[in-house]
């Protein structure tokens, strides 16, 4: 994926909860480092109570979808509905932002290299749920966050950007999460910008960025 597009890239953002990363992306598109480069065209939530839905509506996102997990009898039906919806929307990038489900392998395959996720730890350390708690319990002195391409595993895809934050002796899960979250809100738009503006290729699991098209 490269620069040179006349129109802003169309993003679909998948959410399940609070939506602060969605907000950071919306703000970056409106007046930050994604201005003119990307716009959030659709937000899809699997949770009817997600605060992210309110944020999407308040920001005037053109398409806001609820695919409530509870309205599907079987997991495969939900997976198919999501797959079909993404196919229909056909965004340039799919951004997982606090989306609490594994994306089905067929959907991952369809969007390979065009689906991103953010995780509140320095992967491959502490994948999965409660990453900040895992970090505290392990006793690490440094944690952080990672934006990566999505593959079939849980938080295992090729890494785009990472940034570290210190872990202090008196940290609680909440204080560490808040420190990491501040960085997340900067790192996710930066990663989206990177993948939209630079040529890149995969070597094994390494993302290699080529010369900047921006000069
Ligand atoms: C973030 O910490 C993100 O890294 C993780 O879930 C949290 C979502 O927060 N995947 P929010 O919904 O973006 O506020």
């Amino acid at each position: 994926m490269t620069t040179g597009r006349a129109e802003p890239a169309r993003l679909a953002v998948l959410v399940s909860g609070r939506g602060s990363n969605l907000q950071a992306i919306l703000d970056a598109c409106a007046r930050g480092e994604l201005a003119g480069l990307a716009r959030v065209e659709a937000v899809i939530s699997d949770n009817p109570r997600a605060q992210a839905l309110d944020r999407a509506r308040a920001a005037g996102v053109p398409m806001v979808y609820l695919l409530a997990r509870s309205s599907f009898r079987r997991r495969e039906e939900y997976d198919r509905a999501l797959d079909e919806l993404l196919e229909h929307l056909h965004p340039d990038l799919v951004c997982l932002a606090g989306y609490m489900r594994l994306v089905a392998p067929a959907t991952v395959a369809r969007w390979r290299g065009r689906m991103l996720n953010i995780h509140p730890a320095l992967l491959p350390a502490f994948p999965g749920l409660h990453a900040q708690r895992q970090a505290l319990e392990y006793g690490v002195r440094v944690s952080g966050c990672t934006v990566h391409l999505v593959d079939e595993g849980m938080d295992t895809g090729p890494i785009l950007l990472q940034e570290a934050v210190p872990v202090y002796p008196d940290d609680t899960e909440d204080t560490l999460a808040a420190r990491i979250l501040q960085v997340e809100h900067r790192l996710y738009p930066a990663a989206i910008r990177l993948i939209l503006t630079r040529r890149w290729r995969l070597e094994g699991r390494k993302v290699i960025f080529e010369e900047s098209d921006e000069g």
Side-chain angles (χ1 to χ4, degrees):
M1 199 171 296
T2 62
T3 48
R5 60 176 80 242
E7 292 289 313
R10 298 162 55 243
L11 311 182
V13 184
L14 270 57
V15 296
S16 298
R18 178 180 54 189
S20 69
N21 277 289
L22 166 66
Q23 191 68 58
I25 295 169
L26 287 165
D27 293 347
C29 289
R31 55 186 163 275
E33 66 174 325
L34 295 175
L37 193 65
R39 64 187 157 89
V40 178
E41 180 129 304
V43 168
I44 304 169
S45 174
D46 68 334
N47 172 12
R49 289 176 303 281
Q51 192 192 339
L53 286 169
D54 301 329
R55 295 182 191 265
R57 293 191 191 103
V61 171
M63 288 172 280
V64 182
Y65 294 92
L66 173 63
L67 281 189
R69 175 64 186 90
S70 54
S71 55
F72 295 87
R73 264 179 312 149
R74 284 151 32 93
R75 191 200 154 110
E76 297 72 37
E77 291 169 12
Y78 174 88
D79 288 344
R80 198 173 324 117
L82 177 63
D83 193 65
E84 287 173 4
L85 179 55
L86 288 175
E87 188 83 336
H88 169 72
L89 293 170
H90 214 75
D92 295 300
L93 284 182
V94 180
C95 300
L96 276 49
Y99 180 65
M100 301 304 284
R101 303 175 60 80
L102 264 185
V103 178
T107 309
V108 169
R110 220 186 288 288
W111 294 93
R112 199 178 301 287
R114 295 177 296 154
M115 182 178 274
L116 278 56
N117 181 41
I118 188 158
H119 183 73
L122 293 177
L123 293 169
F126 316 127
L129 290 177
H130 308 301
Q132 303 91 339
R133 188 188 308 168
Q134 293 183 56
L136 286 176
E137 284 173 356
Y138 197 93
V140 292
R141 304 302 175 104
V142 171
S143 190
C145 52
T146 305
V147 182
H148 64 92
L149 296 169
V150 174
D151 70 4
E152 286 76 1
M154 166 99 75
D155 303 320
T156 51
I159 290 169
L160 291 169
L161 281 181
Q162 292 188 297
E163 192 169 320
V165 306
V167 179
Y168 299 123
D170 59 350
D171 264 331
T172 64
E173 210 176 325
D174 286 347
T175 59
L176 179 58
R179 191 173 311 120
I180 293 173
L181 199 61
Q182 275 195 337
V183 179
E184 289 185 46
H185 295 163
R186 201 163 22 77
L187 204 69
Y188 211 166
I192 293 170
R193 182 179 181 91
L194 199 57
I195 203 158
L196 288 175
T197 58
R198 298 279 293 273
R199 291 178 192 278
W200 60 276
R201 65 182 194 281
L202 274 182
E203 276 182 15
R205 50 165 300 121
K206 279 194 228 166
V207 182
I208 312 287
F209 288 101
E210 297 173 4
E211 282 289 284
S212 170
D213 286 359
E214 293 185 314

